[in-house]
Amino acid sequence: MGKAGEIRVIALGLIRDGERIFVSEGYDPVKQETFYRALGGGVDFGETSHAALKREFQEEIQAELTNIKYLGCIESLFTFNGKQGHEIVQLYQCDFVDSKFYQLESLIFSESQHHKHKALWMDISRFKSGELRLVPEVFFEYL
């Protein structure tokens, strides 16, 4: 989350393996709702979104990416933890270099000292059926 009243630019990686995608699990304490989104993170000043994507995957789960292809831009307006958020999402399709990531059930990574996140493979059908929530919703257009 950026500062209040700030538009944040983030780069997310859509990693697909057949009928499943690799996502991180989030939780909104105010809505008491679990949601999922692709991995990635903020683009730093002076950094391209392509470079940010690679750096974020390296930092968060020590993963190298390959076959990185730009998919498009999503403008995301949302409320998280009771606060209004505004993100410009640069979305990329990519693959893991190391095949071990395709064998994983799940992994725990930390975005900061206080936040532990779980990343895991989820069947796309579970999002399409509405059983699980994928954010931003526009993501479906790319699946």
Side-chain angles (χ1 to χ4, degrees):
M1 285 290 294
K3 292 188 276 296
E6 179 181 75
I7 298 176
R8 191 162 168 247
V9 179
I10 66 171
L12 296 182
L14 174 57
I15 301 182
R16 190 168 175 162
D17 180 36
E19 285 310 299
R20 50 184 208 154
I21 56 169
F22 196 70
V23 288
S24 75
E25 192 176 83
Y27 182 73
D28 187 323
V30 173
K31 294 178 193 162
Q32 298 193 347
E33 178 182 73
T34 298
F35 60 90
Y36 297 86
R37 75 156 211 200
L39 270 76
V43 179
D44 293 335
F45 184 81
E47 177 183 51
T48 63
S49 56
H50 185 281
L53 179 74
K54 291 175 80 161
R55 176 182 54 74
E56 285 285 340
F57 269 83
Q58 191 60 60
E59 284 175 8
E60 290 183 349
I61 61 169
Q62 290 73 57
E64 294 282 338
L65 298 175
T66 186
N67 306 327
I68 302 172
K69 191 169 120 252
Y70 183 66
L71 289 178
C73 185
I74 295 173
E75 190 161 6
S76 176
L77 298 167
F78 57 92
T79 308
F80 173 73
N81 206 3
K83 295 185 184 69
Q84 175 72 48
H86 189 169
E87 291 175 341
I88 303 294
V89 181
Q90 293 285 55
L91 182 60
Y92 291 87
Q93 184 180 319
C94 46
D95 296 317
F96 286 120
V97 170
D98 191 338
S99 64
K100 76 169 186 204
F101 285 102
Y102 293 100
Q103 266 77 65
L104 287 173
E105 277 303 300
S106 68
L107 62 95
I108 303 290
F109 67 94
S110 54
E111 254 177 16
S112 66
Q113 280 78 33
H114 318 291
H115 292 287
K116 288 269 184 278
H117 287 277
K118 185 159 85 169
L120 64 174
W121 289 99
M122 278 289 182
D123 286 335
I124 294 167
S125 61
R126 297 182 71 185
F127 295 118
K128 292 198 166 153
S129 71
E131 178 200 340
L132 299 176
R133 184 153 178 254
L134 184 65
V135 297
E137 273 84 5
V138 194
F139 219 77
F140 285 111
E141 292 170 23
Y142 295 94
L143 287 175

